[in-house]
Structure formats: structure tokens, C-alpha cells
Amino acid sequence: MKILVLTGAGISAESGIPTFRDKDGLWEGYPLEEVATPEAFHRNPERVHAFYNQRRRALLSPEIKPNAAHEALARFESTHDDDFLLVTQNIDDLHQRAGSKNVLAMHGELLKARCMLTDELFDWRDDLSPHTPHPDGSDLIGKLRPHVVWFGEMPIGLNTIERAAAQADLFIAIGTSALVYPAAGIVQWTQPSCRKVEINLGATPASDAFDQSIRGAASTEVPRFLQ
Ligand code: BV8
């Protein structure tokens, strides 16, 4: 059986990482267009770096850990790895820390920086700024950006995701508000014969596209569904 899983901020909420659009969400303090677009970065790199530096530091604080939902997905992958693809919209590394091996981070990764000249990726746990020197010792300065997909930018791995959706016998969407495309459209890329399950605290605009909606917290419902 081929399985495709899509996760959103809701799977990391119980690990202490704020979601985007729930109460006290991440976007509340920052209008999207001011911190998550290439134009915002070009206009005010310090402000955009500050937004991601704050989230990177928070992610690296000791109390932030994967929860039972991340762990259940990692266990499930280990017994189904050939027919299992985990796609996440999240830029945290909680799936990887839980032991998931094959994670497609379609909106990028907060703990990676990318050179804007060469597209080279670097593991990155410190703050970034327009004065950050290039790690390769060259005299390049300020050429690094967060390796994160902003609005208006092409998500990562769309061909792989599209192929996996077309072949999936089971598609599970966990903790996503289904408001951001193309991620929210993945459910439409599955075959009519594919079993579609949505695990979320509440309904989303995509709920009608699913055969089953499991209403509850990811840390409870995901281990229960996958057991
Ligand atoms: C692109 C990275 C084109 C940065 C993010 C008009 C209509 C439709 C689409 C568009 C439009 N205008 C523009 C667009 C396209 C745009 C888009 O969709 N905009 C939306 C806002 C309307 N999309 C893009 O720009 C994408 N790129 O289209 O490119 C293109 C084509 C070809 C060539 C070049 C370009 C890029 C989108 C990626 C943007 N980057 N993030 C960062 O993280 O800072 S998006 C951001 O929102 C997050 O990454 C996240 O992935 C995404 C979705 O949020 P969710 O993960 O769903 O989180 P949210 O808070 O919304 O919801 C939480 C859910 O969890 C809720 O449902 C809640 O009930 C639930 N929950 C909470 N707690 C729990 C829980 N569930 C279970 N258990 C719990 N405990």
C-alpha cells in the first residue's frame, strides 16, 4: 500500500511551536507580506532575518521536542519505508528529530541557510544578518538567506509530491489549515480510489475532499490511527 502524509503547523503545536493562523499564531505579530515574501526580504532584510532568527532560536530551545505524533510517523515509516512519503509544510526539524528519514520539506528548513549566489545550502543554527560572512571563507558578506519558501516562491519537490499523490492508496493530512497552495491542493492530486483522511482539531476548507475527518489533537489521534 502506498502512503502519502502531509503535515502542517498543527502537528508541532503540542511541541510548543506556535501555528500560523490559530489564536496567538505566528502571523499575528507579523503581516505575511512584511516577513514571508522575497519583496519583504529585499526591502528590509534585517526585519525578515529577525523574524526567522527569533523562530530559529525558539526551535533550538531545550523544551521544544517532537511529540507523540512525530514519533508515531517515524515508527510507521520504519515498517513501511518503501511505500511511505512524509511531506511537511513545516520548517522545523521535529520530524527529523523524531527519527523520520525520508522527509520532504516542501516549504524549506529553518535550520538551513542558502547562498543567494550559488544556491549552496548550509546547516545553520545561529542568527543570520545582512552582515553574516559566507561560511566558505570567501570574502562574500550578506549573501545568505533562510532556506525557506516564501509566498510567491516555488515550493520544493512538487514533481515528487504530485507523483506520490497520483500513486497513493492512502493520503493523510495532519494539522494543516489547507489555506496555502499548492500544499492545500495535494488532496486533489490523489486518485478517487485513494483513501483520504484529515486529522485536525477542526474543519478546514478541504474537509469535504476527505473520506474521513478525525477531529482531535495530533498527539492523540495520529498514534491511534497509525497503530
Ligand atoms: C506559489 C514558509 C507560485 C515560511 C510558508 C490566492 C488564492 C490561492 C493561492 C494564492 C493566492 N494568492 C497567492 C497564492 C499562492 C500562495 C498562497 O497559497 N497564498 C495563500 C495565503 C492564499 N502560495 C504561494 O505563494 C506558494 N508559492 O504559489 O508559487 C509559483 C509557481 C511557479 C513558479 C514560481 C512560483 C508558496 C507558499 C509557501 C509560503 N511559505 N511558510 C515560514 O514558515 O515562515 S506558508 C505557511 O503557511 C507555513 O509554512 C505553513 O506551511 C503554511 C500553512 O499553514 P499550516 O501549516 O496549515 O498552519 P496553520 O497555522 O495555517 O494551521 C494550523 C492547523 O493545525 C489548523 O487547521 C489547526 O486547526 C490545526 N491544529 C492546531 N493545533 C492542532 C491542530 N491539529 C491537530 N492537532 C493539534 N494539536
Side-chain angles (χ1 to χ4, degrees), residues 7-11 13-14 19-22 27 32 36 51-52 55 89-91 107 148-155 175-182 199-202 204 216-219:
T7 62
I11 199 169
E14 292 163 271
T19 64
F20 291 90
R21 298 171 181 84
D22 292 321
W27 295 139
L32 273 188
F51 177 59
Y52 288 97
R55 290 169 66 189
Q89 299 173 83
N90 300 337
I91 61 173
H107 289 164
V148 165
V149 177
W150 285 323
F151 288 95
E153 294 186 322
M154 181 69 122
T176 179
S177 61
L179 291 174
V180 172
Y181 285 81
I199 298 178
N200 197 307
L201 286 180
T204 72
S219 67

Side-chain angles (χ1 to χ4, degrees), residues 41 45-61 110-114 122-135 142-147:
F41 185 67
E46 288 83 357
R47 178 167 167 75
V48 175
H49 276 312
F51 177 59
Y52 288 97
N53 290 342
Q54 168 210 343
R55 290 169 66 189
R56 192 179 301 104
R57 274 189 235 134
L59 175 58
L60 293 173
S61 45
L110 189 53
L111 299 184
K112 284 198 166 68
R114 187 169 82 235
F122 302 94
D123 289 331
W124 204 271
R125 303 170 77 86
D126 304 321
D127 283 1
L128 275 174
S129 89
H131 314 293
T132 303
H134 210 287
K143 293 299 169 210
L144 297 175
R145 60 167 276 181
H147 177 53

